[in-house]
Amino acid sequence: MTFARRRSRTVTWLRRAGVVAACFAGYAALFYPAWGILGGNAGTLSIVPVIAAGWVFGIAGGIGATAGGLVITWVLISRVHPDPGAVFQGNALSIAAGFGIGGATGWVREVLAKLRRQARRLEQRHAHALLEAGLRKAAEEELRRVNTTLEKACDEAVRASDEKSRFLARASHELRTPLAAIQGYGELLLEEGEHHGAPPTTLVRDLGRIVEAARHLTGLVDELLDISKIETGQLDVHLAPIDLRALVEDVAALMQPAAAMARTRLRVSCAPDLPHVRTDPLRARQVLLNLLSNAIKFTGEGDVEVVAARARAAPGEWAEIEVRDTGPGMSVEEQRFAFEEFWRGRTDKPGVGLGLSIARRLCRELGGSIDVSATPGAGAAFVVRLPIAIQASGDPAAGS
């Protein structure tokens, strides 16, 4: 209890005691005039300070004030009557009633105080309930407002995403036509030059650059088109049992010229028990080409290895294709953003940052997954998991 609170209680107690003392002083002052009128019954006036004491101090205060009143009355009577005991004996009933009235007054006071406390607690609970109801209502209204805002924002985002996907699809189709024409005419001019005689070296070089640039831009346009198809749910996926060994070896053979040009040593290792997988061969080939292209591009003069094997991972059996390289590796931050759209870890390399994003989305469409693990300066490893094809007997199909 704090000092201020103790001081306040002491002041209150002294104030109440002062009221009772004043009542007793008034009783003592009026006793002798009343004795001349009432005689031995003048002591009944002590009921006033008894009631006052019971009211301000409770049951104990009322009974104590009654006893104190008897002492005061004895002293006062002894001054005007030779036998105070006889007077007390004649007023025994009044004395008993005084004790009863003092105790009863204190009891009534305590009951009323208890009722007041209960009423105060009920008022506080009611006020608290009203406050909670008001706060809850305000919170619900705020929540409805926020939900409405979020729904509108979500709808706008969906509409914007749909518009972006439609724009990418239209733009990709519009760009493919002139790019195909540029690439076709460039290749045609190279063939014509070789047919009619050796063209100038500078012409061959320039035409080669035109054709290569057209192919590069066509690849970028195809990536944008794939993104738009995936986002709009228009990507066609045809799942069928596929010989994984043949798929991996075909993709590696297709990338051998690019590896030789970059002076990258490309190796393939397939496990003897390599199973068939249930996938779309066109999309699976696209994923592997993307990973190998990235590995060769970032490794340069180094090693790139493709390892295909059966792997067990809950909740079933999977085939894993791991593409390892000895390139610059990736930091933890780069690994976290590696599969984000338009994110490029190294801006000195060509590309727009869609390859890995498309690879992850295609793996999910094929029912598989793709993960990366890398260390800065020690290369990177991308692992593609594809579901194993199940034969009619229920056993995984084994590769040849």
Side-chain angles (χ1 to χ4, degrees), residues 113-129:
K114 184 177 180 180
L115 291 175
R116 282 197 300 270
R117 287 193 297 269
Q118 291 179 349
R120 192 178 300 113
R121 282 196 295 269
L122 289 175
E123 290 177 357
Q124 291 175 350
R125 291 179 182 176
H126 183 63
H128 185 66

Side-chain angles (χ1 to χ4, degrees), residues 232-276:
T232 56
Q234 298 177 356
L235 184 70
D236 293 327
V237 176
H238 304 284
L239 301 179
I242 301 297
D243 185 351
L244 184 57
R245 182 189 301 274
L247 177 65
V248 171
E249 291 177 349
D250 287 347
V251 172
L254 189 62
M255 293 303 298
Q256 279 292 354
M261 185 177 297
R263 298 181 180 180
T264 303
R265 292 176 293 277
L266 178 59
R267 296 191 300 272
V268 177
S269 175
C270 294
D273 62 340
L274 195 63
H276 282 59

Side-chain angles (χ1 to χ4, degrees), residues 128-144:
H128 185 66
L130 291 177
L131 179 61
E132 283 188 347
L135 292 176
R136 188 181 300 111
K137 184 177 180 181
E140 290 175 352
E141 292 178 354
E142 181 66 15
L143 182 60
R144 282 194 295 270

